[in-house]
Amino acid sequence: MSGRTRQQDEQVRQSWPAGSVWARAVRRPWTVVCVVAAVVVGPAAATASALDRANAAPPLHAPGVSS
């Protein structure tokens, strides 16, 4: 138990600003899952995209080298 009464908890809840969407969103498990997924998958997707573009580029031939 937190040591607070139900009335005190309700007063704290009511004292939060009405637009406190972030305070509620951070407590939801799906928010945490999505943030973790974005942190893990985001850089991997960017790297894969850059590698795909690099592989699609025409090969660079050095001047003076015959094939």
Side-chain angles (χ1 to χ4, degrees):
M1 298 282 301
S2 64
R4 293 188 304 208
T5 66
R6 196 173 278 177
Q7 182 182 9
Q8 288 171 328
D9 284 340
E10 187 61 30
Q11 286 174 348
V12 168
R13 252 185 242 113
Q14 289 176 358
S15 68
W16 289 346
S20 183
V21 175
W22 289 107
R24 282 178 273 152
V26 171
R27 290 181 176 84
R28 295 192 178 158
W30 282 112
T31 303
V32 175
V33 169
C34 290
V35 167
V36 169
V39 168
V40 171
V41 174
T47 302
S49 175
L51 288 173
D52 284 343
R53 281 184 273 136
N55 287 336
L60 178 67
H61 294 290
V65 176
S66 61
S67 50

